[in-house]
Structures are given as C-alpha cells and as structure tokens.
Amino acid sequence: MERLDKFLADSGAGTRSQVKQLLKQGRVTVDGKPEKDGSRKIDPGLQTVCLDGTALGGRYRAVFLMNKPAGYVTATEDPREKTVMELLPPQLRHLDLKPVGRLDKATEGLLLFTNDGELLHRLISPKSQVPKRYYARHEGTATEQDIDAFAQGLTLADGTQCRSAKLEPIGPGESLITICEGKYHQVRRMMAARNLTVLYLERRQEGCLTLGELPRGQVRPLTQQEIELLEQGESEK
Ligand code: URA
C-alpha cells in the first residue's frame, strides 16, 4: 500500500504540489470514483488510478524537450564533464529519462528525453528519417555548388556516405541545414567537407517540434498531441 499522492508523483503526473492541485480539481479517480484525498492509501497492484480518465501504470511514458546550452555533454554520466542530466529539475529525476540521440558539448538547442525505450530506439535508429533542422554560423558562405552537393548526398572526409540533405544559406556565414539521419558530428563534418567550418551550431527543429519560447537550459513536457505527431512523423517515413 502507498499514499495516493506519492503514487501520482512517481507515475509522472506532476510534482507534489501539482499533484495536490490535480486532486483538488477532481481529476483523479480510484477504481472509477473521484478521490481528492492524497493521503489515502492505495494498492497499485489491485486498484486502478486514473488521471483525466487515463490509467496510470505506476511509470507513465514521459517525453520532455530541452533547450540544451553549450558546455554539457549528452550522456547519462561522465567522469569529467557536466552532463545534460544535471539540467533536469530534481522532480523529474525519478522518471528515468534518457536523452534521445546526442548533441555535441558545444551544440545548443533541441534535445528530447524519454523513459520509453522503444520510442527512443525508433527515433535514433539508422532507419529513422525524422528531419532535424540546424542553424549554423560558419566560415565562408554557402554557394549553389554546396547546396547541390548536400542535395546529392555528401561523402565525408573518411568516406562516410550521407543521405540527401538540405542546405539553405540565409546570409554571409549563416545557413540552415536539414538532415534526416544522425551520424557522429554529422553537420560539422558535412560543412567541413565543403570548407564551411562550423563556428556555432544550434538544433532548432526535430520533426514537428521546435524550441518555441523555451529558455536555454529549461525543459518542458511534450503534450500527448506532440508525442502522437512525433510518432506519426516517424512511421510515415
Ligand atoms: N551535428 C553535429 O555536428 N553536431 C551535433 O551536435 C548535432 C549534429
């Protein structure tokens, strides 16, 4: 038996104070009956707890979007460097979130986290074709030949073959790059292959998701609709 409010928080329904509000608002039911008392003891093995009509399984599927700052490595732990995990607020630490793919230490911008291993593997699989759009400041200025080379599928310095990608120069030394794969240091290496050394890199979009107004260093949960769109984008390709 455990307290209902603890079960709700551990299921990812929200922080302790958000859970209090959810209970007060009558959005929680136990075995079909509205329950407002967070101190009530429940047996998650025998009873069904619902939030807004959806059953909580004790560990719900969570997907979060971070606006990653430079200076953090994308890893769950690292002996020397600061990791993106340190940027997750303490109330999310129990959710067992893992970064989806990786951004380099110096790269900023959109980074997803989830506790759903299956979604994670689908999104980072070599078969995944979710488009990822980056803003780069770089040496030189991209030309028509560079745009064509990206569209044809570049061969990197070590012989790695890239899929067709989109290069959009937006000003002197500034471009948007859209790729549908995630090889190691891919954007930097693609730009280097065209003598356009990257000086600054930010991921701005992944599938239908953008950074929006999310401040650097902050995270927000994806809505159910955003999760569905992300999955659809995934399966359509
Ligand atoms: N490509 C890179 O070179 N670095 C990143 O962090 C992401 C894509």
Side-chain angles (χ1 to χ4, degrees), residues 1-19:
M1 298 290 272
E2 64 175 297
R3 280 177 64 112
L4 176 59
D5 50 9
K6 182 172 185 305
F7 173 82
L8 286 162
D10 288 348
S11 302
T15 60
R16 279 297 178 111
S17 59
Q18 287 165 340
V19 161

Side-chain angles (χ1 to χ4, degrees), residues 68-74 102-108 183-188 201:
K68 176 194 176 294
Y72 291 80
V73 295
T74 309
R102 63 190 293 282
L103 289 180
D104 303 333
K105 184 177 168 188
T107 304
E108 301 196 306
K183 299 185 197 300
Y184 180 68
H185 286 177
Q186 183 160 352
V187 174
R188 291 173 199 275
L201 191 61

